[in-house]
C-alpha cells in the first residue's frame, strides 16, 4: 500500500472463485477475506485463497471476535486466527465494535455496545489482550445499528476515539455504516468522521444499504448509493491520503466486473481529489 495506485480492494467471495482461479487481469489491488471462512480449515476455500494470495495482498476481516461481550475473548478463536495470520501475512487484521457471543450463545448478528465508561474499560482490555496474543495492531470497525442504549454517555465516534487513545488500535471506517446510522438516528455523519483521529484510520469500507421505508438496513446487497458516494467524497478532506479503500458486497453478489466497476467509481472520486476538486466541505450530505 505504498501509493494511491495500490489502495483499491474488494471483498473476496466464493461466487468469484471460478473466475479468479483462471488468473484474469483485474483492476483490483488487494482482497479482504472474512477470517472465519478460512480459519482451521484445509478445504477448497483456503486452497483458492492461497492461490490468490500469491498474486494479491490481503486483509483479514473478522465477524466473530465479539470484542464487546462481557465474557472473555475465546482463546481458541485467537489461536485459530493467529494460525491464519501466520499463514497468509495480511497487511491488516480487523473486527467490529460489537458483540455476538455471550455465555456460550453465538448470534449471527453484530450487536452494538453501550457507549459508557464501564463498557469502554471492558473492550479496551479485550483489545489489549487480542493485540498481545496476535502480536500486532488490530483495526476496529464502526457498525450499523438499529437501536441505542439509554445508558450510553457518549456517541460511537467518541467511544472509538477513546479506544484508540487507550489501546493503540486503529479504525476501519465504514462510510456506509455512518450514513445508515446518521439517517436512522438523525445526526450529522460529517461530525462523526471529524471526531475520529485522522491518523488512526487504517482502511475505509464502502457498501450498499437497503431502504426499508422507515429506516435504512445495512444489507451489502446493492451498489453503493449516491448518498454514500457523496459522503465518501466529502470525507476525503478528513481521512488520510492513500488509505486502502474497499467495496463490500455480500448478498446478490454480482459478476466480478461489476465489482470492479464499483471500485473504479472510488478511483474516479480519488482522482478528483488529486486535482483539488473536492478539497473543501461545501454542502450537506444528508
Amino acid at each position: 500500500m505504498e501509493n494511491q495506485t495500490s489502495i483499491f480492494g474488494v471483498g473476496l467471495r466464493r461466487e468469484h472463485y471460478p473466475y479468479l482461479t483462471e488468473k484474469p487481469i483485474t483492476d483490483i489491488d488487494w482482497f479482504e477475506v472474512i477470517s472465519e471462512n478460512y480459519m482451521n480449515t484445509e478445504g477448497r476455500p483456503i486452497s483458492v485463497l492461497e492461490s490468490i494470495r500469491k498474486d494479491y495482498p490481503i486483509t483479514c476481516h473478522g465477524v466473530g471476535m465479539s470484542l464487546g461481550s462481557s465474557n472473555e475473548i475465546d482463546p481458541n478463536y485467537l489461536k485459530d486466527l493467529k494460525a491464519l495470520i501466520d499463514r497468509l501475512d495480511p497487511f491488516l487484521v480487523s473486527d467490529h465494535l460489537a458483540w455476538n457471543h455471550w455465555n456460550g450463545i453465538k448470534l449471527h448478528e453484530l450487536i452494538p455496545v453501550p457507549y459508557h465508561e464501564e463498557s469502554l474499560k471492558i473492550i479496551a482490555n479485550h483489545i489489549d489482550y487480542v493485540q498481545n496474543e496476535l502480536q500486532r495492531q488490530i483495526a476496529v470497525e464502526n457498525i450499523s445499528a438499529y437501536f441505542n442504549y439509554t445508558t450510553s454517555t457518549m456517541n460511537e465516534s467518541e467511544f472509538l476515539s477513546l479506544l484508540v487513545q487507550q489501546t493503540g488500535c486503529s479504525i476501519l471506517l465504514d462510510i456506509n455504516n455512518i450514513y445508515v446510522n446518521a439517517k436512522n438516528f438523525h445526526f450529522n455523519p460529517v461530525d462523526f468522521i471529524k471526531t475520529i483521529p485522522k491518523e488512526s484510520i487504517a482502511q475505509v469500507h464502502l457498501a450498499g444499504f437497503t431502504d426499508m421505508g422507515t429506516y435504512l438496513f445495512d444489507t451489502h446487497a446493492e451498489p453503493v448509493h449516491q448518498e454514500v458516494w457523496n459522503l465518501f467524497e466529502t470525507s476525503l478532506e478528513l481521512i488520510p491520503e492513500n488509505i486502502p479503500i474497499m467495496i463490500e458486497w455480500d448478498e446478490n453478489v454480482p459478476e466480478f466486473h461489476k465489482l470492479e466497476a464499483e471500485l473504479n467509481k472510488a478511483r474516479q472520486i480519488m482522482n478528483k481529489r488529486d486535482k483539488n476538486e473536492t478539497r473543501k466541505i461545501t454542502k450537506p450530505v444528508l
Side-chain angles (χ1 to χ4, degrees):
M1 299 300 117
E2 295 180 351
N3 57 61
Q4 188 175 306
T5 61
S6 61
I7 66 173
F8 298 98
V10 300
L12 179 63
R13 302 295 179 257
R14 59 179 173 77
E15 288 86 349
H16 299 137
Y17 287 174
Y19 177 74
L20 292 172
T21 53
E22 295 296 322
K23 302 282 187 181
I25 296 174
T26 77
D27 292 338
I28 308 304
D29 298 323
W30 58 276
F31 287 94
E32 180 185 270
V33 302
I34 301 300
S35 304
E36 290 79 4
N37 289 347
Y38 303 96
M39 288 163 55
N40 198 23
T41 178
E42 294 296 334
R44 182 170 182 269
I46 190 69
S47 175
V48 171
L49 174 55
E50 287 188 317
S51 174
I52 292 171
R53 178 67 183 91
K54 293 176 181 176
D55 300 319
Y56 296 92
I58 66 160
T59 66
C60 286
H61 185 52
V63 295
M65 197 175 287
S66 199
L67 288 169
S69 174
S70 58
N71 294 158
E72 298 298 324
I73 301 293
D74 182 353
N76 291 322
Y77 175 92
L78 286 187
K79 180 181 178 182
D80 290 341
L81 178 58
K82 181 67 164 55
L84 182 70
I85 291 169
D86 291 344
R87 191 168 182 172
L88 298 175
D89 189 25
F91 69 85
L92 187 72
V93 176
S94 61
D95 210 294
H96 300 80
L97 179 57
W99 64 274
N100 51 11
H101 294 181
W102 186 72
N103 282 355
I105 300 172
K106 295 185 178 181
L107 306 174
H108 294 292
E109 301 295 333
L110 296 169
I111 312 299
V113 301
Y115 304 126
H116 53 51
E117 291 296 332
E118 182 179 358
S119 61
L120 180 69
K121 181 178 180 180
I122 291 171
I123 296 170
N125 286 337
H126 285 170
I127 293 174
D128 283 341
Y129 172 68
V130 169
Q131 293 187 142
N132 286 331
E133 290 297 309
L134 298 182
Q135 289 295 295
R136 64 182 297 156
Q137 182 190 50
I138 64 168
V140 179
E141 179 183 350
N142 58 293
I143 69 166
S144 58
Y146 310 97
F147 66 89
N148 280 327
Y149 295 89
T150 57
T151 55
S152 290
T153 58
M154 63 188 90
N155 60 42
E156 185 184 21
S157 59
E158 294 168 333
F159 194 91
L160 279 165
S161 300
L162 289 172
L163 282 177
V164 169
Q165 291 178 22
Q166 295 185 14
T167 70
C169 71
S170 58
I171 301 297
L172 195 170
L173 196 68
D174 192 308
I175 301 293
N176 180 63
N177 287 348
I178 296 171
Y179 184 80
V180 166
N181 289 353
K183 289 290 286 186
N184 290 344
F185 300 123
H186 311 294
F187 63 81
N188 187 332
V190 177
D191 289 343
F192 184 108
I193 300 171
K194 285 180 177 177
T195 304
I196 299 295
K198 181 176 180 177
E199 65 278 6
S200 72
I201 301 172
Q203 186 184 326
V204 166
H205 273 178
L206 295 164
F209 60 77
T210 299
D211 190 340
M212 307 300 287
T214 56
Y215 68 99
L216 302 185
F217 191 32
D218 179 36
T219 55
H220 300 181
E222 302 181 26
V224 178
H225 287 248
Q226 187 58 51
E227 298 93 332
V228 176
W229 285 123
N230 293 345
L231 180 58
F232 171 62
E233 182 173 343
T234 300
S235 73
L236 294 180
E237 184 71 16
L238 305 169
I239 65 177
E241 295 184 3
N242 301 332
I243 200 75
I245 309 292
M246 181 225 160
I247 300 292
E248 288 185 299
W249 202 318
D250 297 305
E251 296 183 23
N252 304 324
V253 177
E255 293 181 2
F256 196 79
H257 70 87
K258 291 186 177 181
L259 268 185
E260 292 177 302
E262 280 288 280
L263 196 61
N264 284 331
K265 291 180 182 178
R267 272 195 173 93
Q268 293 167 6
I269 293 172
M270 294 287 281
N271 287 338
K272 286 176 64 178
R273 181 176 80 164
D274 285 351
K275 295 177 181 176
N276 292 323
E277 295 178 7
T278 62
R279 299 300 295 177
K280 301 297 181 184
I281 299 171
T282 58
K283 57 184 179 181
V285 294
L286 279 180

